[in-house]
Amino acid sequence: MSDVEEKKVVTELFGDLNKKKKKKSKKESTGEEDEEKASTPVEGEDFEFKKKKKKKSKSSAADAFDEQLEAAGINEVAEEGSAEEKSDNASDNTDLTYSDLLSRFFGILRENNPELAGDRGTKYKIPPPVVTRDGSKKSLFANVKEISERMKRPSEHVIQYLFAELGTSGSIDGASRLIIKGRFQPKQIENVLRSYIMEYVACPTCKSANTLLQKENRLYFLVCQACGSTRTVSSIKTGFQAHVGRRKKVAA
Amino acid sequence: MSASLENIKTFDPFADALDSEAQTVNYVHIRIQQRNGRKTLTTVQGLPAEYDLKRILKVLKKDFGCNGHIAKDEEMGEVIQLQGDQRVKVSEFLVSALQIQKKTIKIHGF
């Protein structure tokens, strides 16, 4: 008789422990989520390359696979916890929807190893372009070299793209700064750089920015270092240029 | 593992590839060029030949309240030129009135 009672007490104790554990972990996770929510919108000064902010649930197939592979250890821990909960009170578990569990999983994942958490796009940052006016009709783009080095692209290629998109011309001065004809704001240059990254840096297959630009038989190829895909990218075309300013006299 | 299989099902790797092949044929390029001061020029290049550029230009000029003309170029063919930054409006017009797919329109410039 007494044995049975003891057992009961023990199980109750354990049950209490488990419950406490569960509650604690839940609280922690929610708190962290809140923190993250608060921190995510406030990003640094550096503008980052992102197509459109993907929600956690919409991670691409590759990402999900990677997470599953590499977060196996964390998964196991999480499963242990959930198993204990199940034995505790199975009725509680039915309330947990898929999205709840998913957000909880991502909360844990972010906490333990944030680099696996699927928003790799946010990690790609380049320094903001420094654009100042050079006289009344020219702009000075001071950190072209730095930016193109960060993107692992030859600065000539970046400059060629800038000129084609902006429909102007320019030159490089002694300190490897770019002089662009026309008035441009840093914001405008930033937009052009963004589209450059979309076209010539981001891998079209896996959206990784860890890519190289190779030239073979007059064709440019984008070789992704992350997923190994190779894609052709169109060469830079200037397109139609209208006459601006005074008309030149046509030579007879 | 089952989750990753689901993902594979929903993602069609060839959808993207087919699109890009179709796109390379004829893009409509909308560009902007700076003029003196804060004035700009919008050029629309590569409209399909079945459209009558003159009539399009007439409508565009009236809709946007700007002037414009058709420039003939040896390489690029006929190009619509409009005064001012009309890039967004032009692309909206091309999509709604001419049933040009938004994918085939490329807006250049800042």
Side-chain angles (χ1 to χ4, degrees), chain A residues 61 64-65 68 164-167 181-184 188 191-192 199 204 231 237-242 244, chain B residues 1 3-4 7 16 20 31-37 41 43 45 71 73 76 79 81 106-110:
Chain A
F65 186 65
Q68 282 208 337
E165 281 297 294
L166 299 172
K181 270 189 193 167
R183 301 174 183 184
F184 295 101
Q188 296 173 324
N191 283 338
V192 179
E199 203 160 343
R231 285 278 203 109
K237 282 177 206 132
T238 317
F240 176 75
Q241 287 289 315
V244 177
Chain B
M1 275 297 122
S4 68
N7 281 330
D16 194 25
S20 62
R31 290 198 177 79
I32 192 164
Q33 243 179 309
Q34 281 196 340
R35 286 179 58 224
N36 41 358
L41 203 66
T43 61
Q45 179 205 320
D73 193 86
M76 323 292 178
V79 179
Q81 272 184 36
K106 260 198 172 178
I107 297 179
H108 297 266
F110 34 79

mmCIF file of all heavy atoms in Angstrom, chain A residues 61 64-65 68 164-167 181-184 188 191-192 199 204 231 237-242 244, chain B residues 1 3-4 7 16 20 31-37 41 43 45 71 73 76 79 81 106-110:
data_model
loop_
_atom_site.group_PDB
_atom_site.id
_atom_site.type_symbol
_atom_site.label_atom_id
_atom_site.label_comp_id
_atom_site.label_asym_id
_atom_site.label_seq_id
_atom_site.Cartn_x
_atom_site.Cartn_y
_atom_site.Cartn_z
ATOM 1 N N ALA A 61 13.099 25.733 -50.489
ATOM 2 C CA ALA A 61 13.247 24.298 -50.281
ATOM 3 C C ALA A 61 14.639 23.955 -49.772
ATOM 4 O O ALA A 61 14.798 23.168 -48.839
ATOM 5 C CB ALA A 61 12.989 23.571 -51.586
ATOM 6 N N ALA A 64 15.115 24.858 -46.109
ATOM 7 C CA ALA A 64 14.403 23.950 -45.214
ATOM 8 C C ALA A 64 15.181 22.652 -45.065
ATOM 9 O O ALA A 64 15.337 22.120 -43.963
ATOM 10 C CB ALA A 64 13.016 23.670 -45.748
ATOM 11 N N PHE A 65 15.709 22.196 -46.187
ATOM 12 C CA PHE A 65 16.452 20.947 -46.180
ATOM 13 C C PHE A 65 17.699 21.089 -45.322
ATOM 14 O O PHE A 65 17.974 20.236 -44.468
ATOM 15 C CB PHE A 65 16.832 20.565 -47.603
ATOM 16 C CG PHE A 65 17.478 19.217 -47.697
ATOM 17 C CD1 PHE A 65 16.754 18.087 -47.377
ATOM 18 C CD2 PHE A 65 18.796 19.088 -48.082
ATOM 19 C CE1 PHE A 65 17.337 16.846 -47.454
ATOM 20 C CE2 PHE A 65 19.383 17.851 -48.163
ATOM 21 C CZ PHE A 65 18.649 16.719 -47.849
ATOM 22 N N GLN A 68 16.906 21.142 -41.737
ATOM 23 C CA GLN A 68 16.585 19.813 -41.214
ATOM 24 C C GLN A 68 17.838 19.009 -40.977
ATOM 25 O O GLN A 68 17.975 18.316 -39.970
ATOM 26 C CB GLN A 68 15.693 19.089 -42.206
ATOM 27 C CG GLN A 68 14.265 19.574 -42.112
ATOM 28 C CD GLN A 68 13.316 18.507 -42.513
ATOM 29 O OE1 GLN A 68 13.699 17.597 -43.228
ATOM 30 N NE2 GLN A 68 12.088 18.572 -42.068
ATOM 31 N N ALA A 164 25.316 52.203 -67.997
ATOM 32 C CA ALA A 164 24.245 51.759 -68.882
ATOM 33 C C ALA A 164 22.885 52.060 -68.271
ATOM 34 O O ALA A 164 21.962 52.504 -68.969
ATOM 35 C CB ALA A 164 24.377 50.263 -69.152
ATOM 36 N N GLU A 165 22.767 51.839 -66.969
ATOM 37 C CA GLU A 165 21.465 52.050 -66.331
ATOM 38 C C GLU A 165 21.144 53.525 -66.182
ATOM 39 O O GLU A 165 20.002 53.935 -66.351
ATOM 40 C CB GLU A 165 21.450 51.385 -64.949
ATOM 41 C CG GLU A 165 21.239 49.902 -64.981
ATOM 42 C CD GLU A 165 19.896 49.517 -65.556
ATOM 43 O OE1 GLU A 165 18.869 49.823 -64.930
ATOM 44 O OE2 GLU A 165 19.861 48.922 -66.650
ATOM 45 N N LEU A 166 22.140 54.301 -65.847
ATOM 46 C CA LEU A 166 21.886 55.721 -65.619
ATOM 47 C C LEU A 166 21.880 56.510 -66.921
ATOM 48 O O LEU A 166 21.478 57.675 -66.940
ATOM 49 C CB LEU A 166 22.941 56.306 -64.672
ATOM 50 C CG LEU A 166 22.990 55.677 -63.285
ATOM 51 C CD1 LEU A 166 24.179 56.193 -62.509
ATOM 52 C CD2 LEU A 166 21.713 55.983 -62.523
ATOM 53 N N GLY A 167 22.327 55.868 -68.007
ATOM 54 C CA GLY A 167 22.320 56.556 -69.282
ATOM 55 C C GLY A 167 23.296 57.714 -69.336
ATOM 56 O O GLY A 167 23.005 58.730 -69.966
ATOM 57 N N LYS A 181 28.733 61.732 -64.838
ATOM 58 C CA LYS A 181 28.109 62.945 -65.368
ATOM 59 C C LYS A 181 26.648 62.945 -64.974
ATOM 60 O O LYS A 181 25.942 61.953 -65.152
ATOM 61 C CB LYS A 181 28.237 62.983 -66.889
ATOM 62 C CG LYS A 181 29.505 63.670 -67.359
ATOM 63 C CD LYS A 181 29.450 63.868 -68.860
ATOM 64 C CE LYS A 181 30.816 64.256 -69.370
ATOM 65 N NZ LYS A 181 30.853 64.154 -70.837
ATOM 66 N N GLY A 182 26.188 64.062 -64.459
ATOM 67 C CA GLY A 182 24.798 64.172 -64.025
ATOM 68 C C GLY A 182 24.713 64.204 -62.522
ATOM 69 O O GLY A 182 25.660 63.855 -61.818
ATOM 70 N N ARG A 183 23.576 64.639 -62.026
ATOM 71 C CA ARG A 183 23.394 64.740 -60.579
ATOM 72 C C ARG A 183 22.706 63.488 -60.069
ATOM 73 O O ARG A 183 21.626 63.141 -60.534
ATOM 74 C CB ARG A 183 22.507 65.945 -60.255
ATOM 75 C CG ARG A 183 23.079 67.238 -60.741
ATOM 76 C CD ARG A 183 22.063 68.309 -60.492
ATOM 77 N NE ARG A 183 22.538 69.592 -61.002
ATOM 78 C CZ ARG A 183 21.857 70.714 -60.841
ATOM 79 N NH1 ARG A 183 20.707 70.696 -60.212
ATOM 80 N NH2 ARG A 183 22.323 71.840 -61.318
ATOM 81 N N PHE A 184 23.321 62.850 -59.112
ATOM 82 C CA PHE A 184 22.725 61.635 -58.560
ATOM 83 C C PHE A 184 22.806 61.655 -57.041
ATOM 84 O O PHE A 184 23.806 62.080 -56.463
ATOM 85 C CB PHE A 184 23.436 60.396 -59.114
ATOM 86 C CG PHE A 184 23.249 60.233 -60.585
ATOM 87 C CD1 PHE A 184 24.244 60.598 -61.473
ATOM 88 C CD2 PHE A 184 22.052 59.754 -61.082
ATOM 89 C CE1 PHE A 184 24.053 60.476 -62.828
ATOM 90 C CE2 PHE A 184 21.853 59.629 -62.439
ATOM 91 C CZ PHE A 184 22.856 59.993 -63.324
ATOM 92 N N GLN A 188 19.640 56.991 -55.230
ATOM 93 C CA GLN A 188 19.462 56.540 -56.613
ATOM 94 C C GLN A 188 20.538 55.521 -56.978
ATOM 95 O O GLN A 188 20.245 54.498 -57.610
ATOM 96 C CB GLN A 188 19.533 57.747 -57.547
ATOM 97 C CG GLN A 188 18.408 58.737 -57.306
ATOM 98 C CD GLN A 188 18.570 60.002 -58.094
ATOM 99 O OE1 GLN A 188 19.674 60.501 -58.300
ATOM 100 N NE2 GLN A 188 17.458 60.551 -58.540
ATOM 101 N N ASN A 191 19.718 52.213 -55.489
ATOM 102 C CA ASN A 191 18.727 51.440 -56.236
ATOM 103 C C ASN A 191 19.364 50.713 -57.409
ATOM 104 O O ASN A 191 19.034 49.559 -57.684
ATOM 105 C CB ASN A 191 17.619 52.364 -56.750
ATOM 106 C CG ASN A 191 16.658 52.735 -55.658
ATOM 107 O OD1 ASN A 191 16.549 52.034 -54.664
ATOM 108 N ND2 ASN A 191 15.982 53.854 -55.820
ATOM 109 N N VAL A 192 20.276 51.394 -58.092
ATOM 110 C CA VAL A 192 20.918 50.761 -59.236
ATOM 111 C C VAL A 192 21.791 49.601 -58.773
ATOM 112 O O VAL A 192 21.799 48.530 -59.388
ATOM 113 C CB VAL A 192 21.748 51.797 -60.021
ATOM 114 C CG1 VAL A 192 22.433 51.135 -61.198
ATOM 115 C CG2 VAL A 192 20.867 52.915 -60.511
ATOM 116 N N GLU A 199 20.773 41.077 -60.493
ATOM 117 C CA GLU A 199 21.019 40.494 -61.803
ATOM 118 C C GLU A 199 22.351 39.761 -61.878
ATOM 119 O O GLU A 199 22.432 38.697 -62.489
ATOM 120 C CB GLU A 199 20.980 41.603 -62.860
ATOM 121 C CG GLU A 199 20.684 41.074 -64.234
ATOM 122 C CD GLU A 199 20.164 42.163 -65.155
ATOM 123 O OE1 GLU A 199 19.737 43.223 -64.666
ATOM 124 O OE2 GLU A 199 20.210 41.959 -66.362
ATOM 125 N N PRO A 204 20.458 32.879 -59.218
ATOM 126 C CA PRO A 204 19.044 32.762 -59.574
ATOM 127 C C PRO A 204 18.394 31.503 -59.038
ATOM 128 O O PRO A 204 17.173 31.416 -58.961
ATOM 129 C CB PRO A 204 19.051 32.780 -61.098
ATOM 130 C CG PRO A 204 20.429 32.420 -61.477
ATOM 131 C CD PRO A 204 21.329 32.854 -60.377
ATOM 132 N N ARG A 231 24.729 29.656 -64.349
ATOM 133 C CA ARG A 231 23.709 30.261 -65.197
ATOM 134 C C ARG A 231 24.349 31.340 -66.051
ATOM 135 O O ARG A 231 25.269 32.018 -65.599
ATOM 136 C CB ARG A 231 22.619 30.917 -64.338
ATOM 137 C CG ARG A 231 21.668 29.955 -63.679
ATOM 138 C CD ARG A 231 20.594 29.547 -64.655
ATOM 139 N NE ARG A 231 19.420 29.090 -63.940
ATOM 140 C CZ ARG A 231 18.281 29.779 -63.886
ATOM 141 N NH1 ARG A 231 18.164 30.940 -64.475
ATOM 142 N NH2 ARG A 231 17.249 29.284 -63.242
ATOM 143 N N LYS A 237 23.912 45.952 -71.801
ATOM 144 C CA LYS A 237 23.611 46.688 -73.035
ATOM 145 C C LYS A 237 23.208 48.104 -72.676
ATOM 146 O O LYS A 237 22.445 48.333 -71.737
ATOM 147 C CB LYS A 237 22.460 46.002 -73.787
ATOM 148 C CG LYS A 237 22.908 44.771 -74.533
ATOM 149 C CD LYS A 237 21.708 44.100 -75.187
ATOM 150 C CE LYS A 237 21.982 42.623 -75.380
ATOM 151 N NZ LYS A 237 20.852 41.813 -74.904
ATOM 152 N N THR A 238 23.714 49.030 -73.435
ATOM 153 C CA THR A 238 23.415 50.431 -73.141
ATOM 154 C C THR A 238 22.031 50.830 -73.631
ATOM 155 O O THR A 238 21.330 51.581 -72.968
ATOM 156 C CB THR A 238 24.470 51.344 -73.779
ATOM 157 O OG1 THR A 238 25.732 50.767 -73.561
ATOM 158 C CG2 THR A 238 24.428 52.719 -73.179
ATOM 159 N N GLY A 239 21.657 50.334 -74.805
ATOM 160 C CA GLY A 239 20.348 50.689 -75.321
ATOM 161 C C GLY A 239 20.319 52.049 -75.986
ATOM 162 O O GLY A 239 21.365 52.640 -76.266
ATOM 163 N N PHE A 240 19.116 52.508 -76.215
ATOM 164 C CA PHE A 240 18.957 53.743 -76.974
ATOM 165 C C PHE A 240 19.387 54.944 -76.144
ATOM 166 O O PHE A 240 19.048 55.058 -74.968
ATOM 167 C CB PHE A 240 17.496 53.903 -77.388
ATOM 168 C CG PHE A 240 17.222 55.194 -78.097
ATOM 169 C CD1 PHE A 240 17.617 55.372 -79.406
ATOM 170 C CD2 PHE A 240 16.573 56.222 -77.445
ATOM 171 C CE1 PHE A 240 17.366 56.558 -80.056
ATOM 172 C CE2 PHE A 240 16.316 57.409 -78.101
ATOM 173 C CZ PHE A 240 16.716 57.575 -79.402
ATOM 174 N N GLN A 241 20.158 55.798 -76.754
ATOM 175 C CA GLN A 241 20.579 57.026 -76.089
ATOM 176 C C GLN A 241 20.064 58.216 -76.878
ATOM 177 O O GLN A 241 20.412 58.402 -78.039
ATOM 178 C CB GLN A 241 22.110 57.099 -76.011
ATOM 179 C CG GLN A 241 22.708 56.145 -75.009
ATOM 180 C CD GLN A 241 22.427 56.576 -73.591
ATOM 181 O OE1 GLN A 241 22.564 57.739 -73.250
ATOM 182 N NE2 GLN A 241 22.006 55.646 -72.757
ATOM 183 N N ALA A 242 19.217 58.987 -76.250
ATOM 184 C CA ALA A 242 18.692 60.173 -76.934
ATOM 185 C C ALA A 242 19.708 61.296 -76.857
ATOM 186 O O ALA A 242 20.535 61.346 -75.955
ATOM 187 C CB ALA A 242 17.395 60.609 -76.286
ATOM 188 N N VAL A 244 20.956 64.648 -75.857
ATOM 189 C CA VAL A 244 20.625 65.590 -74.800
ATOM 190 C C VAL A 244 21.554 66.782 -74.967
ATOM 191 O O VAL A 244 22.730 66.622 -75.257
ATOM 192 C CB VAL A 244 20.809 64.953 -73.406
ATOM 193 C CG1 VAL A 244 20.543 65.971 -72.311
ATOM 194 C CG2 VAL A 244 19.883 63.777 -73.253
ATOM 195 N N MET B 1 12.091 14.473 -42.883
ATOM 196 C CA MET B 1 12.345 14.211 -44.297
ATOM 197 C C MET B 1 11.108 14.445 -45.140
ATOM 198 O O MET B 1 11.157 14.896 -46.259
ATOM 199 C CB MET B 1 12.792 12.753 -44.462
ATOM 200 C CG MET B 1 14.278 12.569 -44.247
ATOM 201 S SD MET B 1 15.264 13.464 -45.458
ATOM 202 C CE MET B 1 16.240 14.502 -44.434
ATOM 203 N N ALA B 3 8.930 16.642 -44.840
ATOM 204 C CA ALA B 3 8.745 18.069 -45.127
ATOM 205 C C ALA B 3 9.529 18.464 -46.371
ATOM 206 O O ALA B 3 9.034 19.186 -47.233
ATOM 207 C CB ALA B 3 9.188 18.891 -43.920
ATOM 208 N N SER B 4 10.764 17.956 -46.474
ATOM 209 C CA SER B 4 11.588 18.332 -47.617
ATOM 210 C C SER B 4 10.996 17.774 -48.908
ATOM 211 O O SER B 4 11.043 18.408 -49.955
ATOM 212 C CB SER B 4 13.018 17.848 -47.417
ATOM 213 O OG SER B 4 13.045 16.440 -47.477
ATOM 214 N N ASN B 7 8.369 20.017 -50.060
ATOM 215 C CA ASN B 7 8.948 21.192 -50.687
ATOM 216 C C ASN B 7 9.335 20.921 -52.131
ATOM 217 O O ASN B 7 9.146 21.756 -53.011
ATOM 218 C CB ASN B 7 10.182 21.643 -49.901
ATOM 219 C CG ASN B 7 9.781 22.415 -48.676
ATOM 220 O OD1 ASN B 7 8.747 23.059 -48.683
ATOM 221 N ND2 ASN B 7 10.595 22.335 -47.658
ATOM 222 N N ASP B 16 10.806 28.584 -63.883
ATOM 223 C CA ASP B 16 11.673 29.758 -63.972
ATOM 224 C C ASP B 16 12.442 29.763 -65.284
ATOM 225 O O ASP B 16 12.517 30.770 -65.979
ATOM 226 C CB ASP B 16 12.622 29.724 -62.783
ATOM 227 C CG ASP B 16 13.319 31.040 -62.594
ATOM 228 O OD1 ASP B 16 12.737 32.042 -63.031
ATOM 229 O OD2 ASP B 16 14.416 31.044 -62.041
ATOM 230 N N SER B 20 12.465 32.579 -68.499
ATOM 231 C CA SER B 20 13.607 33.401 -68.908
ATOM 232 C C SER B 20 13.908 33.210 -70.388
ATOM 233 O O SER B 20 14.355 34.130 -71.059
ATOM 234 C CB SER B 20 14.826 33.073 -68.055
ATOM 235 O OG SER B 20 15.183 31.737 -68.246
ATOM 236 N N ARG B 31 13.591 53.501 -70.142
ATOM 237 C CA ARG B 31 14.797 54.108 -69.567
ATOM 238 C C ARG B 31 14.543 55.547 -69.199
ATOM 239 O O ARG B 31 13.579 56.168 -69.647
ATOM 240 C CB ARG B 31 15.939 54.049 -70.586
ATOM 241 C CG ARG B 31 16.445 52.659 -70.816
ATOM 242 C CD ARG B 31 17.807 52.710 -71.456
ATOM 243 N NE ARG B 31 18.318 51.366 -71.606
ATOM 244 C CZ ARG B 31 17.936 50.543 -72.571
ATOM 245 N NH1 ARG B 31 17.049 50.928 -73.456
ATOM 246 N NH2 ARG B 31 18.440 49.330 -72.642
ATOM 247 N N ILE B 32 15.447 56.065 -68.405
ATOM 248 C CA ILE B 32 15.379 57.483 -68.054
ATOM 249 C C ILE B 32 16.729 58.111 -68.326
ATOM 250 O O ILE B 32 17.763 57.467 -68.203
ATOM 251 C CB ILE B 32 14.949 57.670 -66.587
ATOM 252 C CG1 ILE B 32 14.607 59.128 -66.334
ATOM 253 C CG2 ILE B 32 16.001 57.170 -65.640
ATOM 254 C CD1 ILE B 32 13.839 59.348 -65.079
ATOM 255 N N GLN B 33 16.695 59.340 -68.757
ATOM 256 C CA GLN B 33 17.929 60.060 -69.034
ATOM 257 C C GLN B 33 17.842 61.432 -68.393
ATOM 258 O O GLN B 33 16.766 62.066 -68.423
ATOM 259 C CB GLN B 33 18.083 60.219 -70.546
ATOM 260 C CG GLN B 33 19.289 59.522 -71.090
ATOM 261 C CD GLN B 33 19.375 59.687 -72.581
ATOM 262 O OE1 GLN B 33 18.414 59.430 -73.290
ATOM 263 N NE2 GLN B 33 20.513 60.139 -73.039
ATOM 264 N N GLN B 34 18.942 61.867 -67.851
ATOM 265 C CA GLN B 34 18.938 63.200 -67.230
ATOM 266 C C GLN B 34 19.190 64.267 -68.275
ATOM 267 O O GLN B 34 20.025 64.091 -69.157
ATOM 268 C CB GLN B 34 20.011 63.270 -66.156
ATOM 269 C CG GLN B 34 19.568 62.614 -64.864
ATOM 270 C CD GLN B 34 20.440 63.022 -63.705
ATOM 271 O OE1 GLN B 34 21.555 63.473 -63.896
ATOM 272 N NE2 GLN B 34 19.933 62.838 -62.504
ATOM 273 N N ARG B 35 18.451 65.338 -68.147
ATOM 274 C CA ARG B 35 18.707 66.494 -69.011
ATOM 275 C C ARG B 35 19.266 67.607 -68.121
ATOM 276 O O ARG B 35 19.676 67.357 -66.995
ATOM 277 C CB ARG B 35 17.414 66.918 -69.696
ATOM 278 C CG ARG B 35 16.991 65.985 -70.798
ATOM 279 C CD ARG B 35 15.701 66.452 -71.410
ATOM 280 N NE ARG B 35 15.799 67.813 -71.939
ATOM 281 C CZ ARG B 35 14.862 68.748 -71.754
ATOM 282 N NH1 ARG B 35 13.788 68.484 -71.066
ATOM 283 N NH2 ARG B 35 15.013 69.949 -72.275
ATOM 284 N N ASN B 36 19.214 68.801 -68.640
ATOM 285 C CA ASN B 36 19.746 69.882 -67.821
ATOM 286 C C ASN B 36 18.816 70.169 -66.647
ATOM 287 O O ASN B 36 17.594 70.080 -66.761
ATOM 288 C CB ASN B 36 19.976 71.136 -68.666
ATOM 289 C CG ASN B 36 18.849 71.369 -69.645
ATOM 290 O OD1 ASN B 36 17.934 70.554 -69.703
ATOM 291 N ND2 ASN B 36 18.896 72.430 -70.384
ATOM 292 N N GLY B 37 19.432 70.506 -65.516
ATOM 293 C CA GLY B 37 18.644 70.779 -64.323
ATOM 294 C C GLY B 37 17.984 69.525 -63.809
ATOM 295 O O GLY B 37 18.565 68.453 -63.831
ATOM 296 N N LEU B 41 14.141 62.659 -69.310
ATOM 297 C CA LEU B 41 13.584 62.165 -70.566
ATOM 298 C C LEU B 41 13.327 60.676 -70.377
ATOM 299 O O LEU B 41 14.168 59.959 -69.851
ATOM 300 C CB LEU B 41 14.638 62.374 -71.658
ATOM 301 C CG LEU B 41 14.239 62.459 -73.103
ATOM 302 C CD1 LEU B 41 13.418 63.708 -73.333
ATOM 303 C CD2 LEU B 41 15.501 62.529 -73.943
ATOM 304 N N THR B 43 12.499 57.081 -72.271
ATOM 305 C CA THR B 43 12.483 56.419 -73.574
ATOM 306 C C THR B 43 11.876 55.027 -73.431
ATOM 307 O O THR B 43 12.136 54.333 -72.457
ATOM 308 C CB THR B 43 13.894 56.288 -74.162
ATOM 309 O OG1 THR B 43 14.689 55.511 -73.292
ATOM 310 C CG2 THR B 43 14.541 57.633 -74.367
ATOM 311 N N GLN B 45 11.653 51.588 -75.471
ATOM 312 C CA GLN B 45 12.309 50.925 -76.591
ATOM 313 C C GLN B 45 11.858 49.477 -76.656
ATOM 314 O O GLN B 45 11.641 48.830 -75.633
ATOM 315 C CB GLN B 45 13.816 51.007 -76.373
ATOM 316 C CG GLN B 45 14.632 50.341 -77.453
ATOM 317 C CD GLN B 45 15.970 49.935 -76.922
ATOM 318 O OE1 GLN B 45 16.592 50.658 -76.160
ATOM 319 N NE2 GLN B 45 16.422 48.747 -77.300
ATOM 320 N N ALA B 71 11.591 58.686 -81.991
ATOM 321 C CA ALA B 71 12.946 58.795 -82.512
ATOM 322 C C ALA B 71 13.274 57.528 -83.274
ATOM 323 O O ALA B 71 12.987 56.420 -82.801
ATOM 324 C CB ALA B 71 13.927 58.998 -81.367
ATOM 325 N N ASP B 73 16.048 55.073 -84.767
ATOM 326 C CA ASP B 73 17.451 54.721 -84.543
ATOM 327 C C ASP B 73 17.795 53.532 -85.430
ATOM 328 O O ASP B 73 16.952 52.666 -85.662
ATOM 329 C CB ASP B 73 17.655 54.367 -83.060
ATOM 330 C CG ASP B 73 19.113 54.293 -82.696
ATOM 331 O OD1 ASP B 73 19.667 55.337 -82.369
ATOM 332 O OD2 ASP B 73 19.675 53.179 -82.757
ATOM 333 N N MET B 76 18.147 50.387 -82.815
ATOM 334 C CA MET B 76 17.046 50.093 -81.896
ATOM 335 C C MET B 76 15.671 50.219 -82.543
ATOM 336 O O MET B 76 14.664 49.956 -81.893
ATOM 337 C CB MET B 76 17.095 51.021 -80.680
ATOM 338 C CG MET B 76 18.466 51.334 -80.192
ATOM 339 S SD MET B 76 19.291 49.925 -79.497
ATOM 340 C CE MET B 76 20.867 50.643 -79.099
ATOM 341 N N VAL B 79 11.766 54.458 -81.288
ATOM 342 C CA VAL B 79 11.746 54.592 -79.843
ATOM 343 C C VAL B 79 10.847 55.769 -79.488
ATOM 344 O O VAL B 79 10.937 56.833 -80.092
ATOM 345 C CB VAL B 79 13.174 54.850 -79.301
ATOM 346 C CG1 VAL B 79 13.146 55.003 -77.802
ATOM 347 C CG2 VAL B 79 14.102 53.730 -79.703
ATOM 348 N N GLN B 81 9.916 58.739 -77.185
ATOM 349 C CA GLN B 81 10.557 59.604 -76.197
ATOM 350 C C GLN B 81 9.504 60.493 -75.565
ATOM 351 O O GLN B 81 8.687 61.083 -76.254
ATOM 352 C CB GLN B 81 11.595 60.505 -76.875
ATOM 353 C CG GLN B 81 12.954 59.882 -76.982
ATOM 354 C CD GLN B 81 13.945 60.843 -77.566
ATOM 355 O OE1 GLN B 81 13.872 62.032 -77.305
ATOM 356 N NE2 GLN B 81 14.854 60.326 -78.367
ATOM 357 N N LYS B 106 11.086 46.045 -68.730
ATOM 358 C CA LYS B 106 12.242 46.292 -67.870
ATOM 359 C C LYS B 106 12.365 47.786 -67.657
ATOM 360 O O LYS B 106 12.499 48.539 -68.623
ATOM 361 C CB LYS B 106 13.508 45.754 -68.525
ATOM 362 C CG LYS B 106 13.920 44.427 -67.992
ATOM 363 C CD LYS B 106 15.354 44.153 -68.335
ATOM 364 C CE LYS B 106 15.835 42.914 -67.635
ATOM 365 N NZ LYS B 106 17.217 42.612 -67.986
ATOM 366 N N ILE B 107 12.325 48.190 -66.405
ATOM 367 C CA ILE B 107 12.498 49.605 -66.105
ATOM 368 C C ILE B 107 13.941 49.817 -65.666
ATOM 369 O O ILE B 107 14.411 49.184 -64.726
ATOM 370 C CB ILE B 107 11.513 50.059 -65.009
ATOM 371 C CG1 ILE B 107 10.085 49.907 -65.502
ATOM 372 C CG2 ILE B 107 11.784 51.491 -64.632
ATOM 373 C CD1 ILE B 107 9.041 50.303 -64.509
ATOM 374 N N HIS B 108 14.622 50.701 -66.364
ATOM 375 C CA HIS B 108 16.026 50.962 -66.047
ATOM 376 C C HIS B 108 16.130 52.281 -65.290
ATOM 377 O O HIS B 108 15.178 53.039 -65.182
ATOM 378 C CB HIS B 108 16.845 51.041 -67.330
ATOM 379 C CG HIS B 108 16.851 49.764 -68.099
ATOM 380 N ND1 HIS B 108 17.828 48.832 -67.970
ATOM 381 C CD2 HIS B 108 15.975 49.274 -68.996
ATOM 382 C CE1 HIS B 108 17.572 47.824 -68.766
ATOM 383 N NE2 HIS B 108 16.450 48.057 -69.396
ATOM 384 N N GLY B 109 17.335 52.536 -64.866
ATOM 385 C CA GLY B 109 17.612 53.815 -64.206
ATOM 386 C C GLY B 109 17.411 53.739 -62.715
ATOM 387 O O GLY B 109 17.073 52.710 -62.172
ATOM 388 N N PHE B 110 17.598 54.862 -62.053
ATOM 389 C CA PHE B 110 17.611 54.895 -60.594
ATOM 390 C C PHE B 110 16.229 54.696 -60.001
ATOM 391 O O PHE B 110 15.232 54.989 -60.569
ATOM 392 C CB PHE B 110 18.182 56.231 -60.101
ATOM 393 C CG PHE B 110 17.856 57.410 -60.959
ATOM 394 C CD1 PHE B 110 16.614 58.026 -60.877
ATOM 395 C CD2 PHE B 110 18.796 57.878 -61.862
ATOM 396 C CE1 PHE B 110 16.313 59.094 -61.675
ATOM 397 C CE2 PHE B 110 18.491 58.954 -62.665
ATOM 398 C CZ PHE B 110 17.249 59.567 -62.579
#
